[in-house]
Amino acid sequence: AWVFTLNGVAYLLYLWLSREWRHILPRRESWGEALRVVGHDLGLYRKPLPPGKYNHAQRIAYTSVMVMGVGMVVTGLAIYKPAQLTWLTVMLGGYQAARVEHFVLTCLFVAFFLVHVAQVIRAGWNNFR
């Protein structure tokens, strides 16, 4: 868990210092455009998507993963040291609620991973290597 946390902190620092966060954070139009990206991926929308480093669905997904990562650390600390961090455990709804929240976040990470790998394979096996 500490390796995960340190890796996440290093990545967030990189995004901040390199100003790459501007390419990842969703914009106001991202929610509508993400539906177009999903339609394109499902073959329902035939027009080519606008070029860019990240499409709008990726912006939402990658930002969500960063938020989920922070949530994983917070809920993990609450269930790791509930006596020492009572205020945090209480803020999350209690020990059992923190465990459920941590589990749900874990499931969302697994779902993101599976969809991400499927998209990479769909884009071409050479991208996967």
Side-chain angles (χ1 to χ4, degrees), residues 62-83:
Y62 296 156
T63 301
S64 298
V65 165
M66 288 184 273
V67 171
M68 289 186 327
V70 171
M72 286 289 285
V73 171
V74 170
T75 58
L77 285 171
I79 61 179
Y80 175 59
K81 298 281 188 180

Side-chain angles (χ1 to χ4, degrees), residues 34-104:
L35 292 175
R36 192 173 304 182
V37 171
V38 171
H40 183 269
D41 290 347
L42 294 173
L44 304 173
Y45 182 77
R46 300 270 185 224
K47 294 180 184 175
L49 297 172
K53 190 167 186 173
Y54 299 105
N55 66 44
H56 292 281
Q58 288 172 316
R59 287 172 177 258
I60 293 168
Y62 296 156
T63 301
S64 298
V65 165
M66 288 184 273
V67 171
M68 289 186 327
V70 171
M72 286 289 285
V73 171
V74 170
T75 58
L77 285 171
I79 61 179
Y80 175 59
K81 298 281 188 180
Q84 293 85 350
L85 298 170
T86 305
W87 61 272
L88 182 60
T89 307
V90 169
M91 204 170 81
L92 293 170
Y95 182 77
Q96 188 61 31
R99 287 184 64 211
V100 169
E101 293 159 11
H102 195 75
F103 179 74
V104 168

Side-chain angles (χ1 to χ4, degrees), residues 13-32:
L13 279 172
Y14 163 75
L15 286 177
W16 181 261
L17 295 173
S18 68
R19 302 171 78 68
E20 284 290 312
W21 58 270
R22 293 177 293 166
H23 299 290
I24 291 182
L25 284 181
R27 298 185 196 143
R28 189 172 296 145
E29 69 272 9
S30 290
W31 300 97

Side-chain angles (χ1 to χ4, degrees), residues 111-128:
F112 170 80
F113 173 77
L114 294 174
V115 170
H116 195 269
V117 170
Q119 288 289 81
V120 170
I121 291 171
R122 184 184 156 280
W125 189 252
N126 287 333
N127 290 334
F128 192 66

